[in-house]
Amino acid sequence: MRISVIGCGYLGAVHAAAMASLGHDVVGIDVDEAKVATLSAGKTPFFEPGLADILKAGVDSGRLRFSTSFAAAADARVHFIGVGTPQRKDTGAADLTYVDAAIASLKPYLAPGSLVAGKSTVPVGTAARLTEEIRDTGAHLAWNPEFLREGFAVRDTVDPDRLVYGVTEETGAEDVALLDEVYATILAKGTPRLVMNQPTAELVKISANSFLATKISFINAMAEIAEVTGADVTQLADAIGYDARIGRRFLNAGVGFGGGCLPKDIRAFVARADELGRGESLAFLREIDEINLRRRQRLVDLVVDSFDGQVFGRRVAVLGLAFKPDSDDIRDSPALDVAVRLKGLGAEVVSYDPEAMDNARRMHPQLAYADSLDAAVEGAEAIAIVTEWKQFKELDPADTAGKVSRPFVFDGRNVLDPVAWRDAGWTYTGMGRV
Ligand code: UDX
């Protein structure tokens, strides 16, 4: 099927390449000329495992093209909208500028029988408004949210937990049939497919992310209690996680969640609930945000306290900058925030991340970046692990002790073995761990 994907950022680029890998004829459209040139050359503009292969295969086969011109979308039957919905600085609400611009630019090329399928995370009610906006073209609109995780984006797209179609009563039957055709290969694997109305589909996405954020902040709140009671939050998570109703996943306490989705999505949801006169329903999400932001400062405080309150001029190795491992994404990254806060207090921060240093350097040139993990820890008076990259988890405590000038380790992701590190002479501090 001929498909267009509007917006070639994280979501769009992966979706376009994944659709081509399923055998469709895809054009990805973006207003950013540099990005289109990179993608057209079969190169990935960001780090995402597995993307390079399907992108190159798609471009080489001729089934995947990229363009800055919306006219290239003219003969597509399904147009996916995958542009960003960033957080507005003033209200915290979602900024729909890019969604509205995408629809306005696409509109002249929409024809009866074609379908606009929204993927971006939008405030509930957006799909209904856009349906009206394109009504006179004869094209339909459905909401088809994406649940991809960075680091697993390709897998999550071609092998998702479920497919969600939000359609109108008026055109639903036709739209479902068309989307089923797009996703035929995925559906053939037995992937659950849920059909619902548009507002439900919009809410599915935002409530899923709110639930995940809540789970993380819940365990971080337990870490706060553990810290003052001598309890261990990791053992607690293991124990409650065995209850299948709770589950162990997303119960890792530490410096909290970041990234391009969870933080902005919960804020946008709170703003939308306020607009709908239901602010009290989501009041707890403000608390979820607060707990999350407190944990970064907590780690900074632990480091500072270890220097008796005087971190000025002390050498601190901050290991990790990306908001999570296997990603070079530093958006709303707790790791980067910890580095910046320590630097702001006068510490001599040396940061290292296997993938995110170029992005971090552009945004924070004032930080020092080490060329290697070894160079970062060399002579450090404290090590803070803030992104759980494999190579940090696998650091050898005895070997590392020989490189630092003061063996103090702060485990901001609770991924080290406290016993092994203490046995090697380290003063180990986790987040809510004994
Ligand atoms: C998230 C959702 O998981 C995904 O379904 C949605 O489509 C987009 O947002 P992503 O932003 O890629 O995906 O990251 P995710 O793996 O969910 O992690 C989010 C943050 O939570 C990371 O900063 C991670 O370090 C943190 N986290 C995760 C914890 O602090 N503890 C945990 O137990 C799990």
Side-chain angles (χ1 to χ4, degrees):
M1 189 187 294
R2 294 187 80 87
I3 287 174
S4 84
V5 179
I6 315 299
C8 294
Y10 210 90
L11 166 61
V14 173
H15 193 68
M19 290 303 105
S21 80
L22 296 180
H24 298 301
D25 193 345
V26 184
V27 60
I29 295 176
D30 200 290
V31 292
D32 183 338
E33 280 180 25
K35 195 179 281 173
V36 165
T38 305
L39 289 163
S40 297
K43 297 198 185 104
T44 53
F46 45 80
F47 175 80
E48 178 62 37
L51 178 59
D53 291 346
I54 57 166
L55 185 70
K56 191 170 179 311
V59 170
D60 287 351
S61 72
R63 276 201 311 275
L64 178 59
R65 293 173 301 128
F66 294 92
S67 174
T68 52
S69 162
F70 279 79
D75 55 359
R77 274 179 77 200
V78 177
H79 307 273
F80 287 103
I81 307 293
V83 295
T85 50
Q87 185 183 323
R88 280 175 53 151
K89 291 233 165 18
D90 49 356
T91 57
D95 179 352
L96 293 179
T97 310
Y98 302 119
V99 173
D100 289 333
I103 295 290
S105 305
L106 184 61
K107 199 172 166 183
Y109 305 102
L110 292 175
S114 66
L115 176 70
V116 175
K119 288 221 151 279
S120 311
T121 304
V122 291
V124 55
T126 305
R129 176 170 68 78
L130 298 179
T131 300
E132 289 316 311
E133 212 143 304
I134 64 163
R135 183 175 290 282
D136 56 339
T137 66
H140 301 167
L141 187 133
W143 218 258
N144 173 221
E146 189 63 63
F147 304 94
L148 61 84
R149 296 160 298 168
E150 295 190 17
F152 300 92
V154 174
R155 201 174 83 188
D156 285 349
T157 306
V158 295
D159 196 10
D161 292 337
R162 74 302 210 185
L163 289 167
V164 169
Y165 303 170
V167 296
T168 60
E169 214 166 297
E170 207 183 334
T171 67
E174 245 176 273
D175 305 341
V176 169
L178 198 50
L179 286 172
D180 278 354
E181 216 179 307
V182 173
Y183 295 125
T185 320
I186 297 173
L187 291 168
K189 290 188 261 191
T191 306
R193 178 265 258 157
L194 295 100
V195 178
M196 55 194 71
N197 66 18
Q198 290 174 335
T200 311
E202 292 168 311
L203 278 175
V204 165
K205 169 69 199 216
I206 199 98
S207 61
N209 278 354
S210 299
F211 191 85
L212 294 172
T214 302
K215 217 174 165 188
I216 299 167
S217 277
F218 173 84
I219 202 65
N220 279 328
M222 295 307 109
E224 291 184 337
I225 301 298
E227 278 166 5
V228 292
T229 53
D232 186 292
V233 76
T234 303
Q235 291 173 354
L236 181 147
D238 290 343
I240 64 172
Y242 276 113
D243 184 331
R245 293 169 303 174
I246 296 173
R248 180 62 178 81
R249 294 175 71 187
F250 267 68
L251 282 183
N252 295 324
V255 285
F257 59 81
C261 293
L262 263 44
K264 83 160 171 71
D265 285 356
I266 59 171
R267 291 168 199 153
F269 201 13
V270 166
R272 185 64 183 138
D274 279 340
E275 286 169 10
L276 295 166
R278 285 285 185 277
E280 63 188 354
S281 304
L282 298 186
F284 74 97
L285 282 181
R286 293 184 204 273
E287 206 58 49
I288 296 304
D289 201 8
E290 288 295 316
I291 294 168
N292 189 54
L293 295 174
R294 274 207 300 269
R295 298 314 285 161
R296 308 165 179 198
Q297 187 56 40
R298 174 66 184 156
L299 185 65
V300 170
D301 290 344
L302 288 168
V303 174
V304 173
D305 288 351
S306 81
F307 291 109
D308 294 326
Q310 280 306 326
V311 78
F312 190 88
R314 309 305 292 263
R315 189 177 165 103
V316 182
V318 174
L319 303 186
L321 292 161
F323 83 103
K324 69 174 197 182
D326 297 318
S327 169
D328 64 357
D329 196 340
I330 53 161
R331 286 176 294 172
D332 225 321
S333 170
L336 181 58
D337 202 8
V338 165
V340 169
R341 285 177 197 219
L342 283 167
K343 175 77 187 169
L345 294 171
E348 194 197 313
V349 173
V350 182
S351 288
Y352 176 74
D353 187 287
E355 293 294 339
M357 291 207 287
D358 288 346
N359 285 338
R361 198 179 276 118
R362 267 194 293 276
M363 204 173 170
H364 292 285
Q366 83 278 18
L367 290 176
Y369 299 94
D371 292 336
S372 66
L373 177 51
D374 268 356
V377 299
E378 194 67 52
E381 296 173 88
I383 294 180
I385 295 184
V386 276
T387 311
E388 65 276 38
W389 284 97
K390 193 165 177 279
Q391 52 266 65
F392 304 160
K393 291 199 277 190
E394 289 174 353
L395 270 173
D396 180 65
D399 182 49
T400 313
K403 293 180 181 141
V404 298
S405 70
R406 197 185 76 133
F408 273 62
V409 66
F410 296 87
D411 186 1
R413 291 291 180 183
N414 288 349
V415 288
L416 303 180
D417 175 359
V419 176
W421 283 73
R422 286 185 184 126
D423 283 352
W426 288 82
T427 299
Y428 170 93
T429 309
M431 304 285 290
R433 280 179 109 178
V434 285

